[in-house]
């Protein structure tokens, strides 16, 4: 029955489609692996993130890790795979972004050596990143009475996965690796609904409850032991000259100091906005000014209208938190 | 150790479960591939979307596409697979939805020919769809100073994937293909948190920043160069007679004209609501009336309450955007 | 080219990394399958959820289920796989959580028998769960004019998948199975953006339109024929003594009675908050008090400001729903 796809009538159509696509790629680009240096693919970056997560939390993601006696062998194998995958991705990114073009004096081999060096640096930093993520896990356990154990937090909290991947991606961002950090953050955004730009600086003990809809911009700075709920945005003001802003790369997103809690649905905007130590921002707040230390900010109670058949009553909203 | 699953005690339970399930399927339906014509499965639709995305952006998703010399061969193979997969899905959908039932005079072969025709039409339209998506990509690059290049946008912006799949699904919707368009849009909703009904008409140069939580209803109409932020809803008013509305299929969702920007968390409702050219809708706005051209709409500053130990201060919210 | 990863210079680094990781695991834990009893892995739980969904909706997820004559054989095979996978996961969870430790008098075999028993109980309950989910599907069809058929709802509505998995996870939660219910709910949160804690009690005929960003806490209670839109939160008040709350396990989340509708973006908080029968909660409401039966609650119209070049107009928001 399938033969009508390749019928005499349709065969020329297929050949026409192929030509039209080729000329569309020619015109608009948007093709990869075919013209000039190869870019990393989504598929490779997913593989990398999964490998790094099994190194961060052995046994939590994959089926079998062997037993304790073979830990060394297991780790050696995982780390080798990660180094290879990471070096390859970094080299592709560096070569694609190379500003020198034909003038670049580095050989491909030297570029590879540089990629391997960055890959090693990341792996060497994983123990330190684990120290910090351990504080994030404790913050999640302490912050949510529905969490029944440390293990449940690692196994099932999107916050832990999201912040772990962020800390790895942020490290690569600091090494000026193009593409990869943002692709890693988008991968975990896809999985958790939490969108943290790899540029954001985030202190230890960070916990996001539920998480869906959280957005943290590239120049945001967050201190220690900060807690967010779902739908919190740390954003920038509207932009009239995007190209200029891109070049200057000024701070456009807020600073959140230590021990701050921000409830669901709140939006905080602007590079000069500072939420100082110990403050609490209630739900659905729209904040574009700084907040002094140990301050609770809530929306000034608007009213709620309760309508029944014959009666209408008006109550103040109680933004209790 | 596993044997107790099939122990003498448990064997009758398994047989009981099997019978109970069979009779539950009998009673409530909800079974596929077993009764009457087969429906498309989620798995096949996922495969289709992945194939179409590799044709839209060769090399960005999969690992290897070969080199430029082999582009023709590669494209021919990808397009053949897509045509086969798509024709099969369309035929299943058409046959399942067939209103004629036993009275249908078309042979299965004729139904297949019609499915192949629609599959070819979609593939033949991909170059044109790429023209439009190219404008979407440029809009993303121009609209976000955190985007470092055209390539980064294609590699890591959920907006690009979401709108690309929408434009493909919308084309199939216009061909009256049942099931598949909605399944494609739900697949990409799952991946991006952006929920665009395939019925929505969207002009070129559309960009959704961050995206999580965006909802665009089936009869919404969006002009050129429109920009949304996360959590924007284009919705319908509450429904008292759903069956009647389903039959009439009237416009229930808003119209957004060219060059409009809508900030995070805003909700716009109703089929007669029109946001005219060049207007800006601020954050957290709830809008059920039309807006004239070049108008900025913001919530009338409610107050924020700042409480510290001994002091309470009240500030107007500054809905700066 | 790859050899510089294992060059003489780098080989000692790899060995250093391996040792540093091993000692990091030693110090902070966060390793699984290597120390003491094994925990379930994410991968296994995903496999389980997929298996259970194919039993709930045969043919909707996977490619082929054979034909009606072989339904028995097919079901027997699927159920056996599910029983095996589930028993294994339950046993791992029970053994890991075992409070008895070395004092536990149960043999591993007895623990396995108990796990098999719970696995059978779940499978035996699937027909009953299907009865309830069938009402959820009908509610979705009746509640959304964009739904063109029962089949489209099963094939493409995130609400159906989310509530189906919730009802299965909730059953295991009632059997006091550790870890698995929460991992199942997080898996489907990842897929749908709908975050329902497995502890929540939800009556039949439940429908969540769009769904992204919905959060339903562990002690929430929801009656029959309730409808939510996206971004609705049933949450708890802020917590000063999390450990105490964890131990007491009091009701901290609201009760929603029969026939209630809650529009997008509303937040309802507190264990004593009851939304009584037939009430309607409008969009963006922040509610911490109970609502009597058949009441419509809306935000008291704040104003919208429309600014154009020379004019500023002020309109009341019409929270029409």
């Amino acid at each position: 029955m399938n033969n009508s796809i390749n019928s005499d009538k349709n065969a020329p159509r297929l050949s026409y489609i192929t030509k039209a696509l080729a000329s569309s790629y020619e015109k608009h680009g948007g093709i990869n692996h075919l013209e000039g240096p190869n870019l990393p693919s989504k598929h490779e970056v997913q593989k990398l993130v999964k490998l790094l997560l099994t190194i961060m939390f052995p046994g939590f993601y994959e089926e079998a890790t062997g037993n304790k006696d073979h830990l060394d062998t297991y780790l050696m194998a995982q780390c080798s795979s990660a180094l290879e995958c990471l070096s390859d991705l970094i080299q592709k990114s560096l070569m694609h972004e190379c500003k020198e073009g034909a003038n670049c004096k580095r050989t491909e081999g030297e570029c590879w050596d540089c990629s391997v060096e960055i890959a090693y640096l990341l792996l060497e930093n994983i123990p330190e990143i684990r120290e910090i993520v351990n504080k994030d896990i404790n913050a999640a356990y302490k912050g949510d009475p529905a969490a029944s154990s440390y293990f449940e937090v690692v196994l099932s909290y999107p916050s832990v996965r999201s912040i772990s991947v962020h800390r790895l991606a942020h490290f690569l961002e600091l090494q000026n690796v193009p593409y990869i950090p943002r692709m890693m953050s988008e991968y975990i955004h896809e999985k958790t609904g939490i969108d943290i730009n790899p540029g954001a600086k985030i202190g230890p003990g960070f916990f996001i409850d539920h998480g869906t809809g959280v957005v943290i911009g590239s120049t945001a700075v967050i201190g220690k032991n900060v807690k967010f709920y779902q739908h919190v945005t740390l954003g920038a003001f509207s932009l009239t000259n995007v190209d200029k802003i891109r070049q200057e790369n000024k701070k456009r997103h807020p600073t959140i100091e230590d021990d701050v809690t921000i409830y669901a649905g709140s939006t905080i905007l602007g590079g000069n906005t500072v939420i100082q130590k110990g403050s609490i921002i209630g739900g659905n707040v729209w904040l574009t000014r700084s907040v002094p230390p140990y301050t609770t900010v809530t929306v000034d109670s608007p009213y709620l209208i309760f309508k029944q058949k014959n009666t209408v009553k008006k109550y103040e909203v109680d933004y209790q938190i």
Side-chain angles (χ1 to χ4, degrees), chain A residues 61 70-71 85 88 98 103 112 120 146 150 166 170-171 212 216 224 251 267 278 292 308:
Chain A
Y61 288 85
H70 302 107
L71 181 56
C85 180
D88 182 56
C98 191
N103 297 323
W112 172 255
Y120 266 104
Y150 174 94
H166 171 73
H170 182 63
F171 184 89
T212 310
I216 300 176
K224 292 183 213 160
K251 187 164 182 299
T267 299
Q308 282 174 295

Side-chain angles (χ1 to χ4, degrees), chain A residues 4 13 24 40 107 110 118 146 206 244 262 314:
Chain A
S4 72
R13 296 175 84 175
S24 164
T107 65
E110 283 163 350
I118 296 173
F206 185 53
K244 195 166 158 248
I262 305 180
K314 192 167 170 175

Side-chain angles (χ1 to χ4, degrees), chain A residues 105-309:
Chain A
K105 284 172 190 151
R106 281 211 270 189
T107 65
E108 214 178 313
E110 283 163 350
C111 190
W112 172 255
D113 288 346
C114 167
S115 307
V116 171
E117 180 59 28
I118 296 173
Y120 266 104
L121 285 177
L122 178 65
L123 270 282
E124 282 163 354
N125 264 274
I126 287 186
E128 195 174 318
I129 291 172
R130 273 180 50 90
E131 292 273 338
I132 300 171
V133 168
N134 196 50
K135 288 176 184 161
D136 301 327
I137 295 168
N138 284 330
Y141 181 69
K142 278 185 201 153
D144 182 6
S148 66
S149 72
Y150 174 94
F151 289 102
E152 192 179 71
V153 170
V154 181
L155 282 167
S156 59
Y157 276 52
S159 180
V160 169
R161 262 195 305 165
S162 162
I163 190 74
S164 298
V165 173
H166 171 73
R167 298 194 185 288
L168 296 163
H170 182 63
F171 184 89
L172 293 176
E173 179 90 1
L174 293 178
Q175 309 297 320
N176 297 312
V177 176
Y179 300 122
I180 313 296
R182 188 67 183 75
M183 292 175 79
M184 291 171 69
S185 76
E186 185 47 32
Y187 170 73
I188 205 69
H189 176 204
E190 186 179 314
K191 293 292 178 190
T192 62
I194 299 170
D195 185 358
I196 310 180
N197 189 290
K201 295 186 198 328
I202 303 181
F206 185 53
F207 174 46
I208 304 173
D209 207 354
H210 308 296
T212 310
V214 163
V215 171
I216 300 176
S218 57
T219 64
V221 176
I222 296 176
K224 292 183 213 160
N225 302 317
V226 167
K227 184 177 179 182
F228 280 15
Y229 283 80
Q230 67 271 23
H231 308 320
V232 165
T233 294
L234 303 187
F237 288 121
S238 166
L239 316 153
T240 46
N241 190 336
V242 169
D243 281 334
K244 195 166 158 248
I245 292 167
R246 197 179 337 249
Q247 280 189 322
E248 294 176 352
N249 196 23
K250 281 210 298 191
K251 187 164 182 299
R252 304 186 306 279
H253 304 90
T255 294
I256 311 297
E257 294 189 352
D258 300 350
D259 306 316
V260 165
T261 296
I262 305 180
Y263 282 91
S266 284
T267 299
I268 303 177
L269 301 180
N272 296 321
T273 306
V274 181
I275 312 300
Q276 287 190 264
K277 192 178 161 67
S279 286
I280 295 171
I281 312 299
N284 292 346
V285 166
W286 184 278
L287 200 57
T288 57
R289 65 168 75 233
S290 292
V291 172
Y294 300 102
T295 305
T296 300
V297 177
T298 51
V299 178
D300 184 21
S301 311
Y303 296 92
L304 288 178
I305 304 295
F306 282 49
K307 277 187 210 163
Q308 282 174 295
K309 259 188 173 170

Side-chain angles (χ1 to χ4, degrees), chain A residues 37 94-106:
Chain A
L94 288 177
M95 288 182 71
H96 197 277
E97 269 279 288
C98 191
K99 310 292 188 215
E100 307 287 324
N103 297 323
C104 178
K105 284 172 190 151
R106 281 211 270 189

Side-chain angles (χ1 to χ4, degrees), chain A residues 36-76:
Chain A
N38 290 348
L39 272 170
S41 77
K42 272 173 194 286
H43 183 263
E44 288 171 280
V45 170
Q46 285 176 18
K47 195 182 124 194
L48 171 69
V49 172
K50 285 176 188 169
L51 259 172
L52 292 175
L53 282 173
T54 63
I55 293 173
M56 291 284 285
F57 305 109
F60 281 85
Y61 288 85
E62 74 283 36
E63 182 46 14
T65 54
N67 63 48
K68 212 163 184 170
D69 299 339
H70 302 107
L71 181 56
D72 269 17
T73 325
Y74 171 76
L75 275 175
M76 198 74 91

